[in-house]
Amino acid sequence: MSETTGQELSAFDKIEKVKEILDRNGRQSSRLIPILQEVQEVYRYLPKEIMNYVAQALGIPAGRVYGVATFYAHFALEPKGKYLIRLCDGTACHVRGSEPILAELRKKLGLTAQHPTSDDLMFTIETVSCLGACGLAPVVVINDEVHGQMTPDKALKLIDDVLQAEKA
Amino acid sequence: MTDKKVLFIDGKEVEIENERNILELCRKAGIDIPTFCYQPELSVFGACRLCLVEIEGRGIQSSCSTPPEAGLKIKTNTEEIRNLRRITMELLLASHPQDCLKCGKSTKCKLQAIARKVGVKDIPYKMSVKDLPVDKSSYSLIRDPAKCILCGNCVRMCSEIQGVGAVNFTNRGSRSTVMTAFGKDMFTTECVNCGQCAAVCPTGALQIHSEIDETMKDINNPEKITVVQMAPAVRVAIAEEFGLPAGIDSTKKIVAALKKIGVDYVYDTNFTADMTIVEEATEFVQRLQNGGTFPMFTSCCPAWIKYAETYYPSILKNISSCRSPQGMFGAVIRKAMPDFTGKDNKDIVSISIMPCTAKKFEARRDQFKHDGKPEIDHVLTTQELAEMLKSSGINLAEIEDHELDMPLGMYTGAGVIFGVTGGVMEAVLRFAAEKVGGIKDAIEFKNVRGFEGIREAEVELNGRTFKFAVVHGLANAGKVAQSVIDGTCKYDLIEVMACPMGCVGGAGQPVSEGCVKKKLRAEGLYKADEKCALRKSQENTAVYDIYDKYFEGGPATHEAHENLHTTYVARPKAQMEMDLNRVNDGAVTVELNLSGENMRNGVEDLMGKVLGKIRENGLQDTVKVGVTFGHTGEDPMVTVAGKAVEADAEKVLAAIKAAKK
């Protein structure tokens, strides 16, 4: 089965998109970070083969690309789920009870800190140090949608909603 | 001098000349400031925080990254500085394994030496040694990242001087590690095995892959005949390991020592250096006569060869097809030793002693194998030889001289200078001046000597002006290689040596910072050349005797080509592949090859067109598309069902349809 179904880009489209990103950035090694950011939007992580492709295209050692990719927390080297759940564990969210929410979410999805992504690549749970939305603490962000004043129950409901939407 | 600029170090006036920083000035003033990350030939990094000095009015500064200014008042040894240095060392040691007794770098480790120097007596911090796997995949080097102190010397050496960048900083903070791309084994990366990373590594994090044990086992086996060849640069450096100055010629002492530990025959790689000149100069002349590919590059340096194979496969045809002297010696031993000894080749052990870590890789190249087995069994570096002798209770400084064995120990001065940048070129010129130019008395060509990274020389021979270049450091070699691809290269012959200053600065040599000792070693080789009665390779009669007996009487014969020449292969920087779709087994596979060279030649456009054709024809579910980044050997842009297809989307589609039937 090819990966052409759904809104997901096919792997053909993705690698062509990488070429387009490289071209748009003038294949300048000084543009490495923005290039990697855009590539990560395409793949939701940075596959090592694609990092190697970027290195070849920019004429820099693959090790330098890998060095940059591993330096910044923003870059993911493992595939992330279709739904990236980021739970804020900054000071405000922490004191307002982010920990029980994290525990419940992980329990529901069978995930841990070491194993943050579900095997079907549907969900990834990450904690972040502050989202700058302390007034809404505790905060859960699913992809780009911000959900404030969370409780474990409310958070679980969000997951159920996602699952419902996926079924439909 | 009216404009003499001075500053003051510990109250003494010191003149500022061309020093780049205060550290260099302190050293000039006779004060050895401790440092790990400062290497004169590399960029200033300022990471290790050990070279601290106090500058009046500015407080504590790192001396390596502070440029000198007139009038500064510097203190190098205050109580505060002493304490800071000791604390820095204690912190470094708190995350360093405490297994010095078992470490290959022990007694030569800079970390160990400076810990003693700054007076570390205790580590008052919680130990946090990283648990990281040791990488022994490379024939040349061992990488033990747990011992790394993150000084970055290897990273800068590999990228700044060698233009490779096989190791880099990865991760961040307490998880920082110097690693290969994607954490791959060294052997599968673009590493060219030059070993310069290990030469500047202050700890045991990068070490030479030792072959002492296997070698001694064969030397101690009475069933085996052991034959040693020794490269030119070894003789002017090994004495340093025994407390003698750099540059003295220890040839006869090395022979004596090897004989003493039980080696049967000790020969000289200079012999095949002479042979290389005869063979390579003949190739050069034939290329001239037959309209062959120019410019021609020399082929003695195995790190250069792997570099060209990895980065510039399209110029492999420009590289002389002659084996390196080590490789030629392997063939000569295989041919001649059964006659000399009456023994079968399986009982003959071929050992080479080299200033070089890349020679270990070279000896295992498929092209240097005979009947599937490497012709050279063991390659030891100068450092390993010294260690092996010490472990056998031999002090090179005190041993009586012994002559080399003949006939393969016969050499000329031209062979000796192979060990220094410009030496191969000068040896070629001594041959060409006589054979092409008809000039009998031309021996010294001082215009190719020196230590500039890229040097040029012109020589007129037989009414034609030839342009030569001598290059050391692979980043420099890369510039010349690129100029060949761009069509702007104006040279006829280019000598390349990967290591700074040539083999005298090889990574197998005793560790020496900067260029002082390397220059002494180079002088040692030129002196040894001067002492030779014969100074031109063509005067080495033993070489011609071997040609007569084993290689149909001369260079460029069929037998010479079979045994003394070699071939090169394109190599990927990293072996990797990815599938672009998932299909059932049995589907036709199309493979697009994004190697560096193919990228230059438009493989990405081809990829776009091929993917378009597959889409248009609805083949996504039945044709498997994969991407690779190069193979060792053939390196076609696109293959269909394993066969190379012309780089044209229509032809690829036709091939897919043909393969489907």
Side-chain angles (χ1 to χ4, degrees), chain B residues 226-447:
Chain B
T226 44
V227 186
V228 161
Q229 60 162 311
M230 163 183 45
V234 174
R235 71 204 62 202
V236 286
I238 191 167
E240 296 162 40
E241 294 272 2
F242 295 88
L244 297 174
I248 60 166
D249 182 353
S250 309
T251 312
K252 291 174 183 175
K253 293 201 182 296
I254 298 171
V255 180
L258 288 169
K259 295 263 176 188
K260 206 165 181 179
I261 62 171
V263 172
D264 298 296
Y265 295 87
V266 183
Y267 294 135
D268 203 315
T269 314
N270 289 348
F271 175 84
T272 40
D274 282 336
M275 197 168 210
T276 300
I277 289 303
V278 173
E279 201 66 43
E280 194 164 312
T282 306
E283 181 186 349
F284 184 78
V285 171
Q286 286 187 341
R287 282 187 190 222
L288 277 178
Q289 288 165 348
N290 307 335
T293 310
F294 277 95
M296 188 168 109
F297 287 92
T298 59
S299 58
C300 307
C301 170
W304 152 240
I305 295 298
K306 190 174 178 230
Y307 178 81
E309 290 179 325
T310 308
Y311 292 88
Y312 299 101
S314 62
I315 63 148
L316 293 176
K317 57 184 185 300
N318 294 73
I319 300 177
S320 162
S321 65
C322 290
R323 284 183 174 205
S324 69
Q326 172 182 259
M328 285 198 187
F329 219 113
V332 170
I333 287 175
R334 168 171 55 78
K335 287 276 191 181
M337 287 318 285
D339 285 351
F340 293 179
T341 62
K343 292 266 189 177
D344 199 75
N345 262 325
K346 71 171 173 29
D347 298 319
I348 295 167
V349 179
S350 180
I351 301 163
S352 54
I353 298 168
M354 295 284 142
C356 173
T357 53
K359 288 283 172 191
K360 290 171 181 276
F361 171 80
E362 182 190 73
R364 275 87 174 185
R365 286 177 68 96
D366 285 342
Q367 297 83 353
F368 284 14
K369 285 178 183 164
H370 192 77
D371 294 337
K373 181 184 155 292
E375 284 180 342
I376 291 157
D377 298 278
H378 311 296
V379 180
L380 299 177
T381 59
T382 312
Q383 282 186 37
E384 287 165 86
L385 174 63
E387 202 176 309
M388 192 165 88
L389 296 180
K390 284 176 188 169
S391 76
S392 309
I394 289 172
N395 184 351
L396 199 78
E398 291 169 357
I399 204 163
E400 292 286 326
D401 288 356
H402 195 295
E403 297 292 331
L404 283 157
D405 287 306
M406 289 294 149
L408 308 182
M410 181 169 173
Y411 60 84
T412 72
V416 180
I417 55 174
F418 257 61
V420 54
T421 174
V424 176
M425 186 61 77
E426 185 166 344
V428 169
L429 291 174
R430 291 180 190 180
F431 185 94
E434 182 178 319
K435 298 281 177 175
V436 182
I439 313 158
K440 280 263 178 215
D441 54 354
I443 294 174
E444 291 191 347
F445 290 85
K446 294 208 165 145
N447 50 350

Side-chain angles (χ1 to χ4, degrees), chain A residues 2-3 11 13 27 53 70, chain B residues 171 580 582 604 615 621:
Chain A
S2 75
E3 293 179 27
D13 299 332
R27 298 189 172 235
Y53 172 26
T70 54
Chain B
N171 294 306
L580 293 188
R582 267 173 270 143
E604 289 170 279
R615 268 198 211 98
D621 295 335

Side-chain angles (χ1 to χ4, degrees), chain A residues 12-46:
Chain A
F12 284 15
D13 299 332
K14 284 181 185 167
I15 201 159
E16 293 195 296
K17 198 109 189 173
V18 175
K19 179 173 180 288
E20 188 198 308
I21 293 166
L22 289 164
D23 288 338
R24 191 151 24 79
N25 284 283
R27 298 189 172 235
Q28 303 255 329
S29 59
S30 58
R31 302 276 306 158
L32 177 60
I33 291 173
I35 288 169
L36 291 181
Q37 284 173 317
E38 290 186 50
V39 168
Q40 178 156 293
E41 271 172 39
V42 175
Y43 287 89
R44 296 204 308 261
Y45 78 112
L46 295 174

Side-chain angles (χ1 to χ4, degrees), chain B residues 67-329:
Chain B
E69 279 171 40
L72 291 182
K73 292 194 173 65
I74 296 159
K75 286 182 184 161
T76 67
N77 202 27
T78 65
E79 246 348 82
E80 189 183 11
I81 290 168
R82 292 175 70 90
N83 276 334
L84 282 171
R85 282 188 193 145
R86 184 156 54 226
I87 292 167
T88 306
M89 275 308 295
E90 287 166 354
L91 286 166
L92 283 173
L93 293 175
S95 55
H96 192 83
Q98 311 284 301
D99 64 348
C100 299
L101 287 176
K102 299 179 286 174
C103 178
K105 207 63 167 266
S106 189
T107 73
K108 289 178 191 158
C109 172
K110 216 168 168 184
L111 191 70
Q112 216 175 35
I114 293 180
R116 284 290 300 153
K117 222 183 217 175
V118 305
V120 173
K121 294 185 182 70
D122 187 22
I123 301 168
Y125 307 103
K126 191 181 151 209
M127 292 297 296
S128 64
V129 179
K130 284 184 201 148
D131 185 18
L132 295 166
V134 179
D135 178 1
K136 295 185 178 177
S137 64
S138 160
Y139 291 120
S140 305
L141 299 162
I142 291 177
R143 206 174 58 87
D144 187 351
K147 291 180 180 158
C148 176
I149 58 165
L150 303 172
C151 69
N153 288 349
C154 55
V155 174
R156 282 172 292 138
M157 177 55 85
C158 194
S159 66
E160 292 173 11
I161 305 290
Q162 300 299 46
V164 172
V167 285
N168 270 276
F169 283 103
T170 64
N171 294 306
R172 184 167 48 156
S174 63
R175 292 175 58 238
S176 294
T177 319
V178 170
M179 234 200 298
T180 57
F182 318 115
K184 284 164 107 40
D185 286 345
M186 288 275 267
F187 187 72
T188 64
T189 69
E190 65 267 58
C191 168
V192 297
N193 306 302
C194 73
Q196 287 297 327
C197 56
V200 293
C201 178
T203 74
L206 281 156
Q207 296 181 37
I208 295 170
H209 199 149
S210 169
E211 295 175 50
I212 294 174
D213 290 346
E214 304 89 302
T215 310
M216 274 316 295
K217 214 172 185 175
D218 277 331
I219 292 172
N220 282 330
N221 183 345
E223 308 288 309
K224 303 277 187 191
I225 300 280
T226 44
V227 186
V228 161
Q229 60 162 311
M230 163 183 45
V234 174
R235 71 204 62 202
V236 286
I238 191 167
E240 296 162 40
E241 294 272 2
F242 295 88
L244 297 174
I248 60 166
D249 182 353
S250 309
T251 312
K252 291 174 183 175
K253 293 201 182 296
I254 298 171
V255 180
L258 288 169
K259 295 263 176 188
K260 206 165 181 179
I261 62 171
V263 172
D264 298 296
Y265 295 87
V266 183
Y267 294 135
D268 203 315
T269 314
N270 289 348
F271 175 84
T272 40
D274 282 336
M275 197 168 210
T276 300
I277 289 303
V278 173
E279 201 66 43
E280 194 164 312
T282 306
E283 181 186 349
F284 184 78
V285 171
Q286 286 187 341
R287 282 187 190 222
L288 277 178
Q289 288 165 348
N290 307 335
T293 310
F294 277 95
M296 188 168 109
F297 287 92
T298 59
S299 58
C300 307
C301 170
W304 152 240
I305 295 298
K306 190 174 178 230
Y307 178 81
E309 290 179 325
T310 308
Y311 292 88
Y312 299 101
S314 62
I315 63 148
L316 293 176
K317 57 184 185 300
N318 294 73
I319 300 177
S320 162
S321 65
C322 290
R323 284 183 174 205
S324 69
Q326 172 182 259
M328 285 198 187
F329 219 113

Side-chain angles (χ1 to χ4, degrees), chain B residues 529-546:
Chain B
D529 162 39
E530 277 169 31
K531 276 191 199 150
C532 288
L534 304 174
R535 299 183 66 188
K536 299 181 227 164
S537 297
Q538 62 270 32
E539 295 168 342
N540 189 335
T541 51
V543 165
Y544 289 96
D545 287 345
I546 292 291

Side-chain angles (χ1 to χ4, degrees), chain A residues 1-4 10-13 15-16 19 22-23 27 43 47-53 56-68 70-73 77, chain B residues 159 164-165 168-172 179-183 190 573-574 576-583 594-596 599 604-605 607-608 611 614-615 620-621 625 627 629:
Chain A
M1 198 190 75
S2 75
E3 293 179 27
T4 44
S10 77
F12 284 15
D13 299 332
I15 201 159
E16 293 195 296
K19 179 173 180 288
L22 289 164
D23 288 338
R27 298 189 172 235
Y43 287 89
K48 56 183 191 298
E49 295 83 2
I50 298 298
M51 283 192 266
N52 200 24
Y53 172 26
Q56 299 264 34
L58 302 183
I60 57 176
R64 196 175 312 158
V65 178
Y66 185 64
V68 169
T70 54
F71 184 88
Y72 294 102
L77 300 181
Chain B
S159 66
V164 172
N168 270 276
F169 283 103
T170 64
N171 294 306
R172 184 167 48 156
M179 234 200 298
T180 57
F182 318 115
E190 65 267 58
K573 285 178 204 154
M576 274 189 171
E577 49 198 51
M578 83 185 290
D579 292 339
L580 293 188
N581 58 354
R582 267 173 270 143
V583 290
L594 307 188
S595 72
M599 294 281 279
E604 289 170 279
D605 289 337
M607 177 171 74
L611 296 182
I614 289 173
R615 268 198 211 98
Q620 296 100 308
D621 295 335
V625 185
V627 166
F629 299 93

